[in-house]
PDB file of all heavy atoms in Angstrom:
ATOM      1  N   THR A  60      62.914 -67.848  72.226  1.00  0.00           N
ATOM      2  CA  THR A  60      63.744 -66.705  72.610  1.00  0.00           C
ATOM      3  C   THR A  60      63.940 -66.595  74.111  1.00  0.00           C
ATOM      4  O   THR A  60      65.065 -66.480  74.602  1.00  0.00           O
ATOM      5  CB  THR A  60      63.132 -65.401  72.066  1.00  0.00           C
ATOM      6  OG1 THR A  60      63.125 -65.436  70.640  1.00  0.00           O
ATOM      7  CG2 THR A  60      63.933 -64.190  72.536  1.00  0.00           C
ATOM      8  N   CYS A  61      62.853 -66.620  74.875  1.00  0.00           N
ATOM      9  CA  CYS A  61      62.943 -66.295  76.298  1.00  0.00           C
ATOM     10  C   CYS A  61      63.904 -67.213  77.039  1.00  0.00           C
ATOM     11  O   CYS A  61      64.765 -66.744  77.781  1.00  0.00           O
ATOM     12  CB  CYS A  61      61.562 -66.356  76.934  1.00  0.00           C
ATOM     13  SG  CYS A  61      61.558 -65.857  78.669  1.00  0.00           S
ATOM     14  N   SER A  62      63.786 -68.506  76.827  1.00  0.00           N
ATOM     15  CA  SER A  62      64.586 -69.434  77.613  1.00  0.00           C
ATOM     16  C   SER A  62      65.996 -69.621  77.076  1.00  0.00           C
ATOM     17  O   SER A  62      66.901 -70.012  77.824  1.00  0.00           O
ATOM     18  CB  SER A  62      63.886 -70.799  77.689  1.00  0.00           C
ATOM     19  OG  SER A  62      63.679 -71.325  76.397  1.00  0.00           O
ATOM     20  N   ARG A  63      66.223 -69.328  75.783  1.00  0.00           N
ATOM     21  CA  ARG A  63      67.536 -69.612  75.204  1.00  0.00           C
ATOM     22  C   ARG A  63      68.367 -68.368  74.899  1.00  0.00           C
ATOM     23  O   ARG A  63      69.588 -68.396  74.973  1.00  0.00           O
ATOM     24  CB  ARG A  63      67.382 -70.404  73.904  1.00  0.00           C
ATOM     25  CG  ARG A  63      66.832 -71.806  74.089  1.00  0.00           C
ATOM     26  CD  ARG A  63      67.257 -72.705  72.957  1.00  0.00           C
ATOM     27  NE  ARG A  63      68.710 -72.852  72.943  1.00  0.00           N
ATOM     28  CZ  ARG A  63      69.517 -72.274  72.072  1.00  0.00           C
ATOM     29  NH1 ARG A  63      69.043 -71.499  71.112  1.00  0.00           N
ATOM     30  NH2 ARG A  63      70.815 -72.472  72.141  1.00  0.00           N
ATOM     31  N   ARG A  64      67.732 -67.288  74.498  1.00  0.00           N
ATOM     32  CA  ARG A  64      68.489 -66.118  74.048  1.00  0.00           C
ATOM     33  C   ARG A  64      67.830 -64.804  74.466  1.00  0.00           C
ATOM     34  O   ARG A  64      67.953 -63.789  73.802  1.00  0.00           O
ATOM     35  CB  ARG A  64      68.661 -66.169  72.526  1.00  0.00           C
ATOM     36  CG  ARG A  64      67.384 -66.453  71.756  1.00  0.00           C
ATOM     37  CD  ARG A  64      67.646 -66.724  70.269  1.00  0.00           C
ATOM     38  NE  ARG A  64      66.408 -66.993  69.538  1.00  0.00           N
ATOM     39  CZ  ARG A  64      65.874 -68.208  69.381  1.00  0.00           C
ATOM     40  NH1 ARG A  64      66.479 -69.266  69.901  1.00  0.00           N
ATOM     41  NH2 ARG A  64      64.749 -68.366  68.707  1.00  0.00           N
ATOM     42  N   GLY A  65      67.099 -64.855  75.596  1.00  0.00           N
ATOM     43  CA  GLY A  65      66.409 -63.662  76.062  1.00  0.00           C
ATOM     44  C   GLY A  65      66.319 -63.621  77.573  1.00  0.00           C
ATOM     45  O   GLY A  65      67.333 -63.588  78.282  1.00  0.00           O
ATOM     46  N   CYS A  66      65.087 -63.658  78.078  1.00  0.00           N
ATOM     47  CA  CYS A  66      64.820 -63.412  79.495  1.00  0.00           C
ATOM     48  C   CYS A  66      65.683 -64.227  80.452  1.00  0.00           C
ATOM     49  O   CYS A  66      66.317 -63.674  81.351  1.00  0.00           O
ATOM     50  CB  CYS A  66      63.357 -63.719  79.816  1.00  0.00           C
ATOM     51  SG  CYS A  66      62.170 -63.414  78.517  1.00  0.00           S
ATOM     52  N   GLN A  67      65.687 -65.532  80.283  1.00  0.00           N
ATOM     53  CA  GLN A  67      66.346 -66.383  81.272  1.00  0.00           C
ATOM     54  C   GLN A  67      67.865 -66.247  81.270  1.00  0.00           C
ATOM     55  O   GLN A  67      68.461 -66.006  82.330  1.00  0.00           O
ATOM     56  CB  GLN A  67      65.910 -67.839  81.069  1.00  0.00           C
ATOM     57  CG  GLN A  67      64.429 -68.084  81.355  1.00  0.00           C
ATOM     58  CD  GLN A  67      64.069 -67.867  82.818  1.00  0.00           C
ATOM     59  OE1 GLN A  67      64.920 -67.718  83.678  1.00  0.00           O
ATOM     60  NE2 GLN A  67      62.777 -67.855  83.093  1.00  0.00           N
ATOM     61  N   PRO A  68      68.556 -66.417  80.135  1.00  0.00           N
ATOM     62  CA  PRO A  68      70.012 -66.237  80.184  1.00  0.00           C
ATOM     63  C   PRO A  68      70.414 -64.823  80.589  1.00  0.00           C
ATOM     64  O   PRO A  68      71.421 -64.638  81.286  1.00  0.00           O
ATOM     65  CB  PRO A  68      70.465 -66.567  78.757  1.00  0.00           C
ATOM     66  CG  PRO A  68      69.244 -66.497  77.914  1.00  0.00           C
ATOM     67  CD  PRO A  68      68.103 -66.859  78.801  1.00  0.00           C
ATOM     68  N   LYS A  69      69.623 -63.827  80.181  1.00  0.00           N
ATOM     69  CA  LYS A  69      69.908 -62.447  80.574  1.00  0.00           C
ATOM     70  C   LYS A  69      69.913 -62.299  82.092  1.00  0.00           C
ATOM     71  O   LYS A  69      70.777 -61.630  82.668  1.00  0.00           O
ATOM     72  CB  LYS A  69      68.856 -61.528  79.956  1.00  0.00           C
ATOM     73  CG  LYS A  69      68.924 -60.091  80.423  1.00  0.00           C
ATOM     74  CD  LYS A  69      67.740 -59.287  79.883  1.00  0.00           C
ATOM     75  CE  LYS A  69      66.465 -59.603  80.617  1.00  0.00           C
ATOM     76  NZ  LYS A  69      65.329 -58.768  80.161  1.00  0.00           N
ATOM     77  N   LYS A  70      68.955 -62.940  82.754  1.00  0.00           N
ATOM     78  CA  LYS A  70      68.850 -62.804  84.197  1.00  0.00           C
ATOM     79  C   LYS A  70      70.031 -63.439  84.937  1.00  0.00           C
ATOM     80  O   LYS A  70      70.360 -63.043  86.054  1.00  0.00           O
ATOM     81  CB  LYS A  70      67.537 -63.418  84.682  1.00  0.00           C
ATOM     82  CG  LYS A  70      66.342 -62.507  84.470  1.00  0.00           C
ATOM     83  CD  LYS A  70      66.349 -61.319  85.421  1.00  0.00           C
ATOM     84  CE  LYS A  70      65.854 -61.718  86.789  1.00  0.00           C
ATOM     85  NZ  LYS A  70      65.812 -60.575  87.735  1.00  0.00           N
ATOM     86  N   TYR A  71      70.667 -64.428  84.319  1.00  0.00           N
ATOM     87  CA  TYR A  71      71.882 -64.971  84.931  1.00  0.00           C
ATOM     88  C   TYR A  71      72.957 -63.887  85.007  1.00  0.00           C
ATOM     89  O   TYR A  71      73.636 -63.739  86.028  1.00  0.00           O
ATOM     90  CB  TYR A  71      72.399 -66.168  84.127  1.00  0.00           C
ATOM     91  CG  TYR A  71      71.752 -67.470  84.488  1.00  0.00           C
ATOM     92  CD1 TYR A  71      70.496 -67.802  84.005  1.00  0.00           C
ATOM     93  CD2 TYR A  71      72.391 -68.374  85.328  1.00  0.00           C
ATOM     94  CE1 TYR A  71      69.890 -69.006  84.337  1.00  0.00           C
ATOM     95  CE2 TYR A  71      71.797 -69.586  85.672  1.00  0.00           C
ATOM     96  CZ  TYR A  71      70.544 -69.895  85.173  1.00  0.00           C
ATOM     97  OH  TYR A  71      69.939 -71.078  85.517  1.00  0.00           O
ATOM     98  N   LEU A  72      73.116 -63.134  83.927  1.00  0.00           N
ATOM     99  CA  LEU A  72      74.121 -62.064  83.919  1.00  0.00           C
ATOM    100  C   LEU A  72      73.739 -60.957  84.888  1.00  0.00           C
ATOM    101  O   LEU A  72      74.593 -60.408  85.603  1.00  0.00           O
ATOM    102  CB  LEU A  72      74.269 -61.495  82.507  1.00  0.00           C
ATOM    103  CG  LEU A  72      74.563 -62.475  81.367  1.00  0.00           C
ATOM    104  CD1 LEU A  72      74.885 -61.702  80.084  1.00  0.00           C
ATOM    105  CD2 LEU A  72      75.704 -63.421  81.722  1.00  0.00           C
ATOM    106  N   ILE A  73      72.469 -60.619  84.921  1.00  0.00           N
ATOM    107  CA  ILE A  73      72.020 -59.517  85.769  1.00  0.00           C
ATOM    108  C   ILE A  73      72.095 -59.891  87.243  1.00  0.00           C
ATOM    109  O   ILE A  73      72.459 -59.057  88.092  1.00  0.00           O
ATOM    110  CB  ILE A  73      70.596 -59.094  85.366  1.00  0.00           C
ATOM    111  CG1 ILE A  73      70.651 -58.403  83.998  1.00  0.00           C
ATOM    112  CG2 ILE A  73      69.965 -58.179  86.402  1.00  0.00           C
ATOM    113  CD1 ILE A  73      69.331 -58.267  83.303  1.00  0.00           C
ATOM    114  N   ALA A  74      71.763 -61.123  87.580  1.00  0.00           N
ATOM    115  CA  ALA A  74      71.852 -61.545  88.982  1.00  0.00           C
ATOM    116  C   ALA A  74      73.280 -61.410  89.491  1.00  0.00           C
ATOM    117  O   ALA A  74      73.512 -61.000  90.642  1.00  0.00           O
ATOM    118  CB  ALA A  74      71.367 -62.993  89.122  1.00  0.00           C
ATOM    119  N   ASN A  75      74.256 -61.731  88.640  1.00  0.00           N
ATOM    120  CA  ASN A  75      75.657 -61.564  89.014  1.00  0.00           C
ATOM    121  C   ASN A  75      75.978 -60.092  89.246  1.00  0.00           C
ATOM    122  O   ASN A  75      76.621 -59.728  90.243  1.00  0.00           O
ATOM    123  CB  ASN A  75      76.547 -62.148  87.916  1.00  0.00           C
ATOM    124  CG  ASN A  75      78.018 -61.972  88.194  1.00  0.00           C
ATOM    125  OD1 ASN A  75      78.586 -60.918  87.947  1.00  0.00           O
ATOM    126  ND2 ASN A  75      78.662 -63.016  88.729  1.00  0.00           N
ATOM    127  N   ALA A  76      75.522 -59.228  88.326  1.00  0.00           N
ATOM    128  CA  ALA A  76      75.791 -57.790  88.464  1.00  0.00           C
ATOM    129  C   ALA A  76      75.167 -57.236  89.731  1.00  0.00           C
ATOM    130  O   ALA A  76      75.767 -56.401  90.432  1.00  0.00           O
ATOM    131  CB  ALA A  76      75.261 -57.051  87.237  1.00  0.00           C
ATOM    132  N   GLU A  77      73.960 -57.681  90.058  1.00  0.00           N
ATOM    133  CA  GLU A  77      73.301 -57.220  91.285  1.00  0.00           C
ATOM    134  C   GLU A  77      74.096 -57.629  92.523  1.00  0.00           C
ATOM    135  O   GLU A  77      74.270 -56.820  93.451  1.00  0.00           O
ATOM    136  CB  GLU A  77      71.886 -57.804  91.366  1.00  0.00           C
ATOM    137  CG  GLU A  77      70.902 -57.199  90.388  1.00  0.00           C
ATOM    138  CD  GLU A  77      69.545 -57.865  90.464  1.00  0.00           C
ATOM    139  OE1 GLU A  77      69.479 -59.082  90.739  1.00  0.00           O
ATOM    140  OE2 GLU A  77      68.536 -57.171  90.247  1.00  0.00           O
ATOM    141  N   ALA A  78      74.571 -58.875  92.533  1.00  0.00           N
ATOM    142  CA  ALA A  78      75.324 -59.359  93.697  1.00  0.00           C
ATOM    143  C   ALA A  78      76.624 -58.589  93.877  1.00  0.00           C
ATOM    144  O   ALA A  78      76.989 -58.193  94.992  1.00  0.00           O
ATOM    145  CB  ALA A  78      75.596 -60.861  93.544  1.00  0.00           C
ATOM    146  N   VAL A  79      77.328 -58.359  92.766  1.00  0.00           N
ATOM    147  CA  VAL A  79      78.588 -57.616  92.832  1.00  0.00           C
ATOM    148  C   VAL A  79      78.333 -56.178  93.283  1.00  0.00           C
ATOM    149  O   VAL A  79      79.039 -55.644  94.153  1.00  0.00           O
ATOM    150  CB  VAL A  79      79.307 -57.648  91.467  1.00  0.00           C
ATOM    151  CG1 VAL A  79      80.508 -56.694  91.459  1.00  0.00           C
ATOM    152  CG2 VAL A  79      79.753 -59.066  91.135  1.00  0.00           C
ATOM    153  N   ALA A  80      77.313 -55.552  92.698  1.00  0.00           N
ATOM    154  CA  ALA A  80      77.007 -54.162  93.052  1.00  0.00           C
ATOM    155  C   ALA A  80      76.624 -54.037  94.522  1.00  0.00           C
ATOM    156  O   ALA A  80      77.064 -53.104  95.218  1.00  0.00           O
ATOM    157  CB  ALA A  80      75.890 -53.641  92.160  1.00  0.00           C
ATOM    158  N   MET A  81      75.820 -54.965  95.012  1.00  0.00           N
ATOM    159  CA  MET A  81      75.396 -54.885  96.408  1.00  0.00           C
ATOM    160  C   MET A  81      76.582 -55.057  97.349  1.00  0.00           C
ATOM    161  O   MET A  81      76.702 -54.340  98.363  1.00  0.00           O
ATOM    162  CB  MET A  81      74.328 -55.931  96.705  1.00  0.00           C
ATOM    163  CG  MET A  81      73.703 -55.778  98.089  1.00  0.00           C
ATOM    164  SD  MET A  81      72.362 -56.952  98.412  1.00  0.00           S
ATOM    165  CE  MET A  81      71.161 -56.413  97.213  1.00  0.00           C
ATOM    166  N   ALA A  82      77.471 -55.981  97.019  1.00  0.00           N
ATOM    167  CA  ALA A  82      78.661 -56.158  97.857  1.00  0.00           C
ATOM    168  C   ALA A  82      79.508 -54.886  97.881  1.00  0.00           C
ATOM    169  O   ALA A  82      80.030 -54.488  98.930  1.00  0.00           O
ATOM    170  CB  ALA A  82      79.479 -57.337  97.348  1.00  0.00           C
ATOM    171  N   ARG A  83      79.626 -54.242  96.732  1.00  0.00           N
ATOM    172  CA  ARG A  83      80.414 -53.008  96.674  1.00  0.00           C
ATOM    173  C   ARG A  83      79.733 -51.881  97.434  1.00  0.00           C
ATOM    174  O   ARG A  83      80.404 -51.036  98.044  1.00  0.00           O
ATOM    175  CB  ARG A  83      80.635 -52.613  95.214  1.00  0.00           C
ATOM    176  CG  ARG A  83      81.600 -53.552  94.486  1.00  0.00           C
ATOM    177  CD  ARG A  83      81.699 -53.251  93.008  1.00  0.00           C
ATOM    178  NE  ARG A  83      82.647 -54.160  92.350  1.00  0.00           N
ATOM    179  CZ  ARG A  83      82.814 -54.226  91.022  1.00  0.00           C
ATOM    180  NH1 ARG A  83      82.086 -53.442  90.216  1.00  0.00           N
ATOM    181  NH2 ARG A  83      83.686 -55.067  90.512  1.00  0.00           N
ATOM    182  N   HIS A  84      78.399 -51.851  97.407  1.00  0.00           N
ATOM    183  CA  HIS A  84      77.673 -50.826  98.166  1.00  0.00           C
ATOM    184  C   HIS A  84      77.947 -50.953  99.665  1.00  0.00           C
ATOM    185  O   HIS A  84      77.932 -49.957 100.403  1.00  0.00           O
ATOM    186  CB  HIS A  84      76.165 -50.960  97.943  1.00  0.00           C
ATOM    187  CG  HIS A  84      75.703 -50.570  96.572  1.00  0.00           C
ATOM    188  ND1 HIS A  84      74.495 -50.951  96.062  1.00  0.00           N
ATOM    189  CD2 HIS A  84      76.312 -49.839  95.606  1.00  0.00           C
ATOM    190  CE1 HIS A  84      74.367 -50.477  94.830  1.00  0.00           C
ATOM    191  NE2 HIS A  84      75.455 -49.792  94.532  1.00  0.00           N
ATOM    192  N   LEU A  85      78.192 -52.186 100.116  1.00  0.00           N
ATOM    193  CA  LEU A  85      78.381 -52.434 101.550  1.00  0.00           C
ATOM    194  C   LEU A  85      79.849 -52.513 101.944  1.00  0.00           C
ATOM    195  O   LEU A  85      80.160 -52.813 103.101  1.00  0.00           O
ATOM    196  CB  LEU A  85      77.670 -53.737 101.937  1.00  0.00           C
ATOM    197  CG  LEU A  85      76.142 -53.693 101.851  1.00  0.00           C
ATOM    198  CD1 LEU A  85      75.550 -55.085 102.065  1.00  0.00           C
ATOM    199  CD2 LEU A  85      75.566 -52.700 102.842  1.00  0.00           C
TER     200      LEU A  85
END
Side-chain angles (χ1 to χ4, degrees):
T60 297
C61 184
S62 59
R63 293 205 63 254
R64 48 190 180 270
C66 328
Q67 294 295 350
K69 173 187 75 176
K70 281 288 281 182
Y71 275 79
L72 306 189
I73 290 164
N75 178 278
E77 288 177 327
V79 171
M81 188 176 295
R83 289 174 179 172
H84 289 162
L85 293 172

